[in-house]
Amino acid sequence: MTYVPMTARSRHEDHRAATPLELFFDLCFVVAIAQAGARLVHSLAEGHPGTGVIGYFFVFFGVWWAWMNFTWFASAYDCDDVPYRIATLVQIAGVLVYAAGVSRAFDDNDWVVAVIGYLIMRVALTAQWLRAAAGESGPARRAAFTYAAGLVVCQAGWVALLFAPEDSRRWLFLVLVVAELFVPVVAERGHQTPWHAHHIAERYGLFTIIVLGETIAASTVAVKSALDEHEALGELLPIAAGGLLIVFAAWWIYFAVPMHTRLNSNRDAIPWGYGHLLIFLAGAAIGAGIEVAVEHAVGKAHISQPAANAAVTVPSALFLLMVWLLHSRYFKRGPAQQLVLPLSAAALLACTWAGPYAVLWAGLVATLTVVVGQTLAVRGPGARGATG
């Protein structure tokens, strides 16, 4: 359609699913995720975990928040006409510019290119919210204007960050992160935008698949490169097998429960949506960790064996804990089911000290987690769906 008035979509719309445009938008984030992961690998392999983790968090927050802004708006106001598609194209362009600036932001604390990318995205998204406000009235109109104003104020803060002293930028970054997170809380206080629970749950699931897919892609490239250069099949095969088991178990556990049934209001949805930052971050970091383990196996990483192992086990454990905290625990019945994921996370961390076979042992622990969870779900009372 060339043009249609942008009006709110129904929260109870039947058969609401992700659109091809949304899927295309998600794919464009693969570039930014890959850039962040590559810089994390370099930092960890060189023995700078503190700097690496902090830089990874900062650049990944930008990726996640840009995706969040688009996803929740689209769930409420996607009208799929020509202006909407053009605005989405502009946002995609901003994402790609942001991705181009990830290495500078990570390595040199130079955020110029990244902020320009965000500015491009924000111009388009602000126009979208103003267009939504034009089609609304009353509290819904005020909420849309609040979103637009919040975007402008926060973006002005990011631009001002470029002129701040370099040694204070990371602390000011955290202040701006808090400001960004408060915009939806304030905007939704008087009116809940009509996001669709099933649609939102599907969108988050699709992005989880993207970060896990990026993990598999990065791991495959790392193993191939190591084989081409060193032909160390005996050292690499356990890492590859364990990594694949971890990723497959992570997928199984995440999709074990129908999360959309709990997203009834902003009180449930906002903490759930924000908490996914750590799920996405950990999911992508597993791939970076596998790359570090591969580099250590062929003698290219300047770190100890436990440090290389921790690059895999820590994000894997974090992934399981966050999935349990955000949604699996609501579908568990009894202490046995509730303890599966926390105990598995502890077991994954223990694998850190399993020597050169740590990744394989971690993969076996992840697989056992699925088996135990599935068994308890089938046999336990009232535990339907709690298979992770």
Side-chain angles (χ1 to χ4, degrees):
M1 294 175 285
T2 302
Y3 177 82
V4 295
M6 180 177 282
T7 56
R9 300 186 65 152
S10 171
R11 295 199 55 175
H12 307 289
E13 184 178 343
D14 293 333
H15 309 297
R16 180 73 188 275
T19 66
L21 181 60
E22 288 175 315
L23 300 178
F24 181 65
F25 184 83
D26 288 358
L27 285 177
C28 295
F29 281 86
V30 172
V31 180
I33 293 172
Q35 289 290 320
R39 305 322 300 164
L40 178 62
V41 170
H42 178 74
S43 294
L44 295 180
E46 292 298 320
H48 306 296
T51 302
V53 171
I54 292 173
Y56 179 66
F57 173 82
F58 284 164
V59 298
F60 200 95
F61 174 84
V63 173
W64 167 75
W65 192 243
W67 180 85
M68 281 269 294
N69 285 181
F70 170 82
T71 296
W72 288 82
F73 177 85
S75 189
Y77 290 104
D78 182 359
C79 59
D80 198 33
D81 61 359
V82 170
Y84 180 89
R85 292 186 177 191
I86 292 175
T88 302
L89 174 62
V90 174
Q91 289 177 266
I92 289 172
V95 171
L96 298 179
V97 173
Y98 179 87
V102 163
S103 59
R104 292 186 180 186
F106 196 112
D107 296 334
D108 305 321
N109 201 23
D110 178 359
W111 290 87
V112 174
V113 177
V115 169
I116 291 173
Y118 244 72
L119 181 61
I120 295 170
M121 287 187 278
R122 289 300 178 79
V123 168
L125 186 60
T126 301
Q128 294 280 60
W129 276 113
L130 292 175
R131 186 181 173 196
E136 294 282 19
S137 61
R141 184 181 178 90
R142 286 195 297 272
F145 275 129
T146 302
Y147 268 112
L151 288 170
V152 171
V153 171
C154 287
Q155 187 57 44
W158 292 115
V159 173
L161 181 69
L162 300 179
F163 301 95
E166 187 171 343
D167 58 354
S168 66
R169 287 181 186 174
R170 297 215 184 263
W171 299 108
L172 293 174
F173 188 102
L174 293 177
V175 173
L176 289 170
V177 165
V178 173
E180 291 278 5
L181 296 177
F182 262 101
V183 171
V185 175
V186 174
E188 303 267 343
R189 182 173 298 175
H191 171 79
Q192 179 175 301
T193 53
W195 47 266
H196 192 284
H198 190 282
H199 177 249
I200 286 293
E202 181 190 20
R203 298 288 291 116
Y204 274 74
L206 291 170
F207 202 76
T208 300
I209 290 175
I210 282 179
V211 298
L212 294 178
E214 175 58 31
T215 285
I216 291 176
S219 303
T220 301
V221 171
V223 171
K224 180 183 181 301
S225 299
L227 283 175
D228 290 343
E229 296 177 15
H230 302 277
E231 298 182 356
L233 183 61
E235 292 82 0
L236 298 178
L237 189 58
I239 296 174
L244 181 60
L245 290 175
I246 291 170
V247 173
F248 186 71
W251 167 83
W252 189 306
I253 291 167
Y254 182 89
F255 289 98
V257 296
M259 194 53 226
H260 67 277
T261 59
R262 286 205 68 255
L263 302 180
N264 299 314
S265 67
N266 285 338
R267 185 174 182 178
D268 300 318
I270 290 179
W272 179 84
Y274 284 3
H276 266 72
L277 169 61
L278 294 181
I279 289 181
F280 296 152
L281 184 148
I286 293 171
I290 294 172
E291 289 190 67
V292 172
V294 168
E295 291 197 6
H296 183 272
V298 297
K300 293 176 62 177
H302 308 295
I303 54 177
S304 65
Q305 182 72 65
N309 297 341
V312 179
T313 58
V314 171
S316 299
L318 178 60
F319 185 95
L320 292 192
L321 278 177
M322 291 307 301
V323 171
W324 173 78
L325 181 65
L326 290 180
H327 53 254
S328 290
R329 65 190 177 98
Y330 297 105
F331 296 85
K332 304 290 187 179
R333 297 296 182 271
Q337 289 188 25
Q338 288 288 1
L339 287 173
V340 170
L341 291 183
L343 290 179
S344 296
L348 284 171
L349 292 176
C351 290
T352 302
W353 289 272
Y357 293 96
V359 177
L360 179 59
W361 277 110
L364 295 174
V365 168
T367 302
L368 184 61
T369 301
V370 173
V371 173
V372 172
Q374 181 75 30
T375 302
L376 291 175
V378 171
R379 297 181 179 179
R384 182 181 62 182
T387 58

